Amino acid sequence: WVYNLINNGVYKCGFSTKQEAYNVASTNVCKGLQKCETLLQNQTYLNGDKITESDLLLLPTILRYDGVYSPLFRAGGVHTRIRDYPGIQRWLEHCWEAYDLERTIDVEDACLSYYRQLFPLNPGGLLPNPPITLEAMGLRK
């Protein structure tokens, strides 16, 4: 369900050419985020107290969600933010710290590359202002 509702769902939002397809995809993203939120309110990882493939599938999408998938792809509605889901936000911060992810991914560059490279979605190559930062994501204090 992580892949179908969230990982693939954000791309279905971003590349929809029909309103109905976008509506279905956006609703599915919201359902997926809510399912994650419900699970992560009472446990450390999606499947309990150990990290699993489900968490690893979710992580890259959640890391780019506020910077790309919500504003550029309009996934889950343009005003949806991960920080509005406290369970997901706590999980993200935990994974970021526990697995030293800052050493392995440049989130800011990963987000900005979408704005630079996806001409059909951003023909002017405009970058968000203010840009997404680790501070804004709650990952750097």
Side-chain angles (χ1 to χ4, degrees):
W1 63 267
V2 170
Y3 175 80
N4 288 329
L5 296 178
I6 301 173
N7 297 87
N8 198 33
V10 297
Y11 284 95
K12 286 181 178 181
C13 289
F15 292 97
S16 290
T17 57
K18 304 279 189 222
Q19 186 66 50
E20 183 58 33
Y22 167 77
N23 292 349
V24 169
S26 187
T27 297
N28 283 339
V29 168
C30 289
K31 285 179 184 176
L33 290 173
Q34 189 54 56
K35 184 169 184 173
C36 289
E37 178 63 18
T38 299
L39 291 169
L40 294 169
Q41 283 177 348
N42 299 310
Q43 56 195 43
T44 306
Y45 299 105
L46 291 174
N47 292 303
D49 63 350
K50 293 186 174 148
I51 195 165
T52 64
E53 183 178 0
S54 298
D55 298 284
L56 298 177
L57 284 171
L58 182 62
L59 192 56
T61 302
I62 297 302
L63 280 169
R64 294 185 295 243
Y65 193 86
D66 286 357
V68 178
Y69 299 133
S70 178
L72 185 62
F73 286 21
R74 300 168 311 280
V78 74
H79 300 294
T80 305
R81 303 173 308 176
I82 293 306
R83 61 185 167 265
D84 297 330
Y85 294 90
I88 299 174
Q89 182 68 35
R90 186 174 45 259
W91 167 86
L92 179 59
E93 291 173 15
H94 169 76
C95 290
W96 186 258
E97 292 294 323
Y99 301 102
D100 195 19
L101 296 179
E102 189 168 9
R103 208 173 43 80
T104 65
I105 183 171
D106 183 339
V107 175
E108 294 167 20
D109 184 63
C111 290
L112 291 177
S113 68
Y114 281 82
Y115 290 90
R116 292 184 194 115
Q117 297 173 7
L118 288 177
F119 180 80
L121 297 178
N122 189 23
L126 302 174
L127 301 176
N129 186 20
I132 190 66
T133 63
L134 294 175
E135 291 81 7
M137 295 173 63
L139 297 176
R140 185 183 293 148
K141 310 298 184 219

